[in-house]
Amino acid sequence: MCSQAASHRKVTAQAGFTLVEVLVAVTLLGTIAAMVFASLLSTTQTVEAGREHTTREQTIRKILRLMAEEIALSKRTLAYPWVGMNGTQDGQPSDTLAFLAMNQELITVTNTAKEGDTVRVVYTRERDRLIRFVRKNLYTLTDTNESLDQMELADQVQAFNVRYYDEQSRVWLDDWPNATKLPKAVLLEITFQYPDAAPSTVREWVTIGTS
């Protein structure tokens, strides 16, 4: 009789799990699931951050290419000089570039342009924004009383740096005060700083041609 009872207990133990074993198994499964979810969430956040950074950089590059196209076709006269001014703001480069360009709106509408259709274009950084001004008064860079068009090209801009290549001296300059000729090439640099990422600098070279 005792032998039959012992055999029955052995079969019962082999047939199922105890409550403790079930709790341990559930706890282990929960821990593993939490680790997998945390890893998946971290990976997803990293991928999304990478995509956002790539999108931002592509946007900046597109802006720089448009700027480069306009600069490449820029003009200068003795009355309306081509000017590159070196500057800083909050310890970071904040340069100003001014030149004559054809009125793009007029070209779009009429597909033609005359000598008198040129405008004064000014690129500069104001705080964390890259701004393009179109000034009707071609003689000045700083007259705030004149009427002008203003377009914000980018935000979260930490630095805007422009350098100019002097073909005659074969050196890169931080400014361009020469009113009698144009630089051979221009290097545009924009550093943008978003709260969730490290600073990133995008560059674009512009060849203007012989002076």
Side-chain angles (χ1 to χ4, degrees):
M1 185 72 179
C2 290
S3 176
Q4 290 180 349
S7 177
H8 178 72
R9 286 195 299 270
K10 184 178 180 180
V11 171
T12 302
Q14 291 177 345
F17 298 99
T18 65
L19 180 60
V20 174
E21 289 174 333
V22 172
L23 290 176
V24 170
V26 171
T27 301
L28 287 175
L29 288 174
T31 303
I32 294 172
M35 293 174 61
V36 171
F37 178 77
S39 177
L40 180 61
L41 180 61
S42 177
T43 301
T44 302
Q45 290 176 339
T46 301
V47 171
E48 288 298 325
R51 287 177 179 172
E52 289 180 5
H53 177 80
T54 300
T55 301
R56 293 164 182 165
E57 184 169 326
Q58 289 176 345
T59 300
I60 295 295
R61 289 190 182 280
K62 182 177 180 180
I63 291 170
L64 281 177
R65 284 194 295 269
L66 293 174
M67 292 171 63
E69 291 175 3
E70 188 169 49
I71 294 170
L73 298 174
S74 62
K75 303 189 297 182
R76 62 104 191 141
T77 65
L78 292 178
Y80 313 132
W82 202 100
V83 179
M85 299 172 58
N86 190 39
T88 59
Q89 186 180 123
D90 300 326
Q92 296 292 336
S94 183
D95 294 352
T96 298
L97 174 60
F99 53 88
L100 288 182
M102 290 184 291
N103 191 332
Q104 297 298 319
E105 293 182 0
L106 184 64
I107 296 174
T108 301
V109 174
T110 66
N111 205 29
T112 59
K114 307 174 190 176
E115 187 67 25
D117 296 330
T118 55
V119 294
R120 185 75 161 177
V121 176
V122 179
Y123 288 112
T124 191
R125 176 171 76 93
E126 291 189 351
R127 301 182 187 87
D128 65 342
R129 302 179 302 157
L130 180 64
I131 306 294
R132 177 184 183 268
F133 293 101
V134 177
R135 298 179 180 270
K136 295 180 180 180
N137 185 344
L138 303 182
Y139 289 95
T140 182
L141 295 176
T142 58
D143 184 5
T144 57
N145 294 323
E146 63 176 316
S147 61
L148 55 85
D149 294 327
Q150 175 179 332
M151 178 186 298
E152 180 178 324
L153 300 178
D155 61 359
Q156 304 297 327
V157 176
Q158 186 184 59
F160 175 54
N161 188 43
V162 187
R163 303 199 72 200
Y164 314 90
Y165 185 71
D166 187 340
E167 185 179 23
Q168 183 176 357
S169 302
R170 296 185 179 180
V171 295
W172 284 94
L173 305 174
D174 290 325
D175 54 18
W176 190 263
N178 196 327
T180 62
K181 65 177 183 178
L182 300 177
K184 175 67 176 179
V186 174
L187 172 61
L188 302 171
E189 294 182 328
I190 297 179
T191 301
F192 55 97
Q193 169 70 76
Y194 289 89
D196 57 345
S200 180
T201 300
V202 181
R203 298 175 177 86
E204 183 76 22
W205 300 85
V206 186
T207 300
I208 298 179
T210 56
S211 56

